[in-house]
Amino acid sequence: MPRRLLQRYLPRPDTLKQHRSLRFMAHLIADPALWVLSRRSVANAFAIGLFSALLPIPFQMVIAAFAARAVRCNLPLSVALVWITNPLTMPIIYYANYCVGAWLLQTHALHAPDQITIEWLRAQIMEILPSLILGSLVSAIALALCGYLVIRLLWRWQVSRSWRARARRRRARNECAN
């Protein structure tokens, strides 16, 4: 995995500790294990971030941060991945999760009206909620597992590619020396 690319975009722990709104968590942020970019920590961070992103609950970033702390994986990566569900993608993702849940419960998925209002949502919430929760959990687990496996495979591929390139350079150096 391109470690330098990730390091370029991830924040540094000392800058976060100095941030006024995060000072109360400075002792939690200071743990060096939460900033390591290894195959295990990045794969676990992807799993946690993707899982948390698909949960239809508020404070997904807080859940991802506490899970990253518990598993001791890369904190900023797990929190950043939660933003897959942002205000633009949230309706699409949650509707897809709802459809998955309706399919698993073998019920018919409701079609969204032309204009979603609070009254319509209040009237339909008890019918929507079981399918949404089940679909979100199943989708979150599936996406977390896929993300974990893809990162592990990509990291392994990148390492083997760099080993082969290093071996080619070494052979070329040895041929030039002879």
Side-chain angles (χ1 to χ4, degrees), residues 30 49 55 65 71 118 139 145 155 176:
L55 297 178
V71 178
I118 298 295
S139 298
L145 284 173
W155 200 289
C176 289

Side-chain angles (χ1 to χ4, degrees), residues 10 20 23 40 56-58 70 75 82 91 95 97 110 120 130 132 144 154-155 164 166 170-171 174:
L10 292 177
R20 186 179 343 159
R23 276 194 204 132
R40 185 190 74 71
I57 56 175
L75 174 72
V82 169
Y95 184 71
N97 289 348
L110 296 175
W120 179 85
L132 177 64
L154 282 174
W155 200 289
R164 285 192 302 267
R166 193 178 315 147
R170 192 176 304 133
R171 270 182 271 153
N174 289 341

Side-chain angles (χ1 to χ4, degrees), residues 28 31-32 34-35 43-44 70 74 92 94 110 163:
L28 299 173
D31 186 4
L34 300 177
W35 299 91
N44 287 343
N74 192 284
I92 297 164
Y94 290 157
L110 296 175
W163 283 356

Side-chain angles (χ1 to χ4, degrees), residues 2-167:
R3 185 176 289 153
R4 288 187 196 115
L5 177 71
L6 287 173
Q7 285 174 338
R8 184 181 319 152
Y9 292 108
L10 292 177
R12 303 237 181 268
D14 49 341
T15 55
L16 286 180
K17 284 190 290 187
Q18 294 171 357
H19 200 274
R20 186 179 343 159
S21 62
L22 297 174
R23 276 194 204 132
F24 74 97
M25 294 178 21
H27 64 285
L28 299 173
I29 295 172
D31 186 4
L34 300 177
W35 299 91
V36 173
L37 287 172
S38 67
R39 180 173 51 190
R40 185 190 74 71
S41 71
V42 171
N44 287 343
F46 261 79
I48 288 171
L50 294 174
F51 180 82
S52 300
L54 291 187
L55 297 178
I57 56 175
F59 306 112
Q60 296 167 322
M61 289 173 53
V62 174
I63 291 170
F66 281 118
R69 173 107 171 114
V71 178
R72 296 178 59 89
C73 66
N74 192 284
L75 174 72
L77 197 55
S78 63
V79 170
L81 282 166
V82 169
W83 280 95
I84 288 173
T85 50
N86 57 58
L88 294 175
T89 62
M90 207 177 286
I92 297 164
I93 290 173
Y94 290 157
Y95 184 71
N97 289 348
Y98 165 71
C99 290
V100 167
W103 177 73
L104 289 172
L105 292 174
Q106 297 177 350
T107 61
H108 293 288
L110 296 175
H111 294 288
D114 294 335
Q115 194 171 27
I116 297 177
T117 61
I118 298 295
E119 292 79 31
W120 179 85
L121 196 57
R122 281 187 190 146
Q124 303 297 330
I125 193 71
M126 293 315 287
E127 190 172 339
I128 293 171
L129 210 53
S131 297
L132 177 64
I133 291 171
L134 178 64
S136 294
L137 283 175
V138 168
S139 298
I141 291 169
L143 189 62
L145 284 173
C146 287
Y148 178 84
L149 291 173
V150 165
I151 292 301
R152 295 289 292 221
L153 289 172
L154 282 174
W155 200 289
R156 178 181 220 127
W157 173 75
Q158 177 68 28
V159 167
S160 67
R161 194 177 89 165
S162 66
W163 283 356
R164 285 192 302 267
R166 193 178 315 147

